[in-house]
Amino acid sequence: KGPERETDPKTTYRAYMTRYVDDVRAIGAKPILVTSLVRRLYKEDGTIRTTQTPYVEVVRALAAEKQVPLIDLHAISLADAENAGDDVWADLSPRDDKGQVDRTHLNAKGSEVVGRMVVDALRSVVPELAPYLRAQPER
């Protein structure tokens, strides 16, 4: 953490995301934007306290402004995490040296679950890719 490793959502983050869209289009490819996976910071009532909202809003706005397909992984994973609960998502998350759940990253099982979320959303937002997407990951 710290200024040398972070971006500001209203300035540098937005500039980098805009550059990504513009650079991808410049090479003749089609950009797709994906919002951040929700951090699973559960409150007592089982809902999640989100911490990435400013970054998510930038990506949503940029997708609308530049007419780029958007996978709103933040919204998808937030709904799933609140519905499934902390115990389920703890099983999808790595643990630190003290055995505490890492609420930002995913373990292999979590990567597979979230990967399916992304693929399902990708089929909807970019239907021309559907024939190239597997129903299940290769083992």
Side-chain angles (χ1 to χ4, degrees):
K1 293 189 178 203
E4 68 281 353
R5 293 185 46 134
E6 297 175 1
T7 57
D8 176 74
K10 292 181 181 165
T11 58
T12 51
Y13 183 73
R14 181 173 177 73
Y16 289 136
M17 295 305 289
T18 301
R19 180 178 171 190
Y20 158 75
V21 170
D22 295 343
D23 286 356
V24 168
R25 285 184 169 155
I27 64 168
K30 182 176 183 177
I32 300 167
L33 292 172
V34 182
T35 60
S36 304
L37 173 68
V38 73
R39 283 198 180 106
R40 284 85 58 205
L41 303 171
Y42 286 89
K43 297 187 280 185
E44 296 266 333
D45 65 0
T47 61
I48 291 178
R49 176 179 56 88
T50 60
T51 60
Q52 301 136 305
T53 302
Y55 296 91
V56 171
E57 288 173 349
V58 165
V59 175
R60 287 176 182 155
L62 189 60
E65 290 166 21
K66 293 198 167 265
Q67 298 181 341
V68 174
L70 173 70
I71 296 175
D72 197 344
L73 183 58
H74 191 267
I76 295 165
S77 60
L78 174 63
D80 188 89
E82 287 185 342
N83 184 52
D86 192 14
D87 290 341
V88 170
W89 274 84
D91 191 42
L92 304 176
S93 304
R95 306 243 172 195
D96 65 18
D97 295 340
K98 296 177 184 173
Q100 298 297 312
V101 175
D102 176 334
R103 299 187 180 277
T104 300
H105 303 97
L106 300 166
N107 59 24
K109 186 176 177 182
S111 296
E112 191 172 310
V113 169
V114 173
R116 283 190 188 123
M117 290 177 186
V118 172
V119 167
D120 290 345
L122 189 56
R123 279 190 182 94
S124 295
V125 301
V126 189
E128 62 268 28
L129 290 179
Y132 304 100
L133 301 172
R134 296 180 184 277
Q136 297 293 325
E138 274 189 10
R139 301 252 182 233

